[in-house]
Amino acid sequence: MSSMNNLYATLTRKAKEMAGTGDGDEEQVETLCTGCSTPLLHVKNASTLKCPMCNTYMKLELEGQDDARVEEVGPSNPKYKDAGQLIRGAAKHAAKKSYKSAIDLLVRAVELGDATAMFQLANIFRDGLGGYLYPDRAIALYKRAADKGHKEAAACAGLMYGMGFGADKSFSDGFYYTQMAAEQKVPEAMCTLGIMFLGGLGCPRSITESTKWLEAASRA
């Protein structure tokens, strides 16, 4: 047990040195390394930390900042190796209403070209969750995801164009994305497409097409 205590003391001492802290009277707190889960002791207001065990660098957000969190800024965090893991991590943050952290992870997944991440990030920006209301970014993300085959994103893009939310109102653009979603059997889009054909909104008026899509929506 004494050897473990000595190891712990050595690790925390090295961590303090690497974080540029001393042994003064500043309040000490403990943070688990995001790479290997080693407990690291450091002053409360340290901005960065390096784990002496696995060399993971971490950025420590100060208390009082939005969604205080620990996020790796050095070597790739083994907790988030691919887009799927980033999305799952974002969902956990969103469930706790830590939307800034969720957005950070989703942005990383979007950079990897993941359509689901684009869709989920667009939902946050469309609904203004956590105060992040950016409808123009939302519709741009929906379109990117739709172009990658995400059918729900296509439906959302079509609806936003039809409402003029996030972009100038355009029934022709709304029809384009709504039809894209309807052809992938999204019930809401199928119903909307039937209504658009009925009123000639962004397309030639057609009772036949309207009836076809409304009946298909009722069976979906």
Side-chain angles (χ1 to χ4, degrees), residues 10-30:
T10 300
L11 290 175
T12 53
R13 177 176 56 79
K14 288 183 177 180
K16 287 193 292 181
E17 291 172 355
M18 292 174 179
T21 64
D23 294 315
D25 296 328
E26 294 181 87
E27 182 180 353
Q28 304 286 309
V29 295
E30 185 179 280

Side-chain angles (χ1 to χ4, degrees), residues 139-211:
I139 196 168
L141 285 163
Y142 282 138
K143 289 165 62 179
R144 286 179 62 187
D147 290 341
K148 286 179 171 288
H150 197 292
K151 58 186 181 180
E152 287 83 6
C156 289
L159 184 61
M160 290 185 74
Y161 268 121
M163 296 172 60
F165 183 52
D168 292 337
K169 181 179 286 190
S170 171
F171 287 125
S172 60
D173 287 329
F175 176 81
Y176 174 80
Y177 285 103
T178 299
Q179 185 178 44
M180 183 187 295
E183 289 176 347
Q184 296 180 76
K185 302 187 185 306
V186 177
E188 295 83 359
M190 296 163 77
C191 181
T192 301
L193 189 63
I195 293 171
M196 296 185 82
F197 271 119
L198 182 63
L201 302 176
C203 60
R205 187 170 185 270
S206 172
I207 299 299
T208 301
E209 287 294 310
S210 175
T211 301

Side-chain angles (χ1 to χ4, degrees), residues 3-206:
S3 61
M4 289 298 294
N5 290 336
N6 290 337
L7 176 59
Y8 179 78
T10 300
L11 290 175
T12 53
R13 177 176 56 79
K14 288 183 177 180
K16 287 193 292 181
E17 291 172 355
M18 292 174 179
T21 64
D23 294 315
D25 296 328
E26 294 181 87
E27 182 180 353
Q28 304 286 309
V29 295
E30 185 179 280
T31 295
L32 292 181
C33 171
T34 58
C36 65
S37 299
T38 297
L40 305 173
L41 191 66
H42 58 88
V43 295
K44 186 174 183 179
N45 290 325
S47 60
T48 60
L49 191 63
K50 179 181 179 181
C51 175
M53 291 295 288
C54 67
N55 293 321
T56 291
Y57 285 91
M58 293 171 285
K59 178 176 68 176
L60 309 178
E61 292 199 359
L62 304 181
E63 183 175 342
Q65 289 184 317
D66 187 25
D67 296 334
R69 61 192 171 88
V70 177
E71 190 64 48
E72 179 185 333
V73 295
S76 296
N77 188 336
K79 184 178 179 181
Y80 301 122
K81 293 181 179 179
D82 56 33
Q85 290 175 315
L86 287 165
I87 292 168
R88 288 191 291 274
K92 292 179 180 179
H93 283 298
K96 298 176 182 178
K97 300 188 185 303
S98 297
Y99 294 112
K100 183 178 184 299
S101 298
I103 289 170
D104 287 346
L105 294 178
L106 287 174
V107 166
R108 287 165 59 184
V110 167
E111 290 171 348
L112 295 174
D114 189 272
T116 298
M118 294 173 191
F119 176 70
Q120 293 186 3
L121 184 57
N123 288 343
I124 292 176
F125 289 158
R126 179 198 62 194
D127 297 337
L129 300 179
Y132 298 95
L133 180 62
Y134 302 112
D136 54 334
R137 298 184 191 180
I139 196 168
L141 285 163
Y142 282 138
K143 289 165 62 179
R144 286 179 62 187
D147 290 341
K148 286 179 171 288
H150 197 292
K151 58 186 181 180
E152 287 83 6
C156 289
L159 184 61
M160 290 185 74
Y161 268 121
M163 296 172 60
F165 183 52
D168 292 337
K169 181 179 286 190
S170 171
F171 287 125
S172 60
D173 287 329
F175 176 81
Y176 174 80
Y177 285 103
T178 299
Q179 185 178 44
M180 183 187 295
E183 289 176 347
Q184 296 180 76
K185 302 187 185 306
V186 177
E188 295 83 359
M190 296 163 77
C191 181
T192 301
L193 189 63
I195 293 171
M196 296 185 82
F197 271 119
L198 182 63
L201 302 176
C203 60
R205 187 170 185 270
S206 172

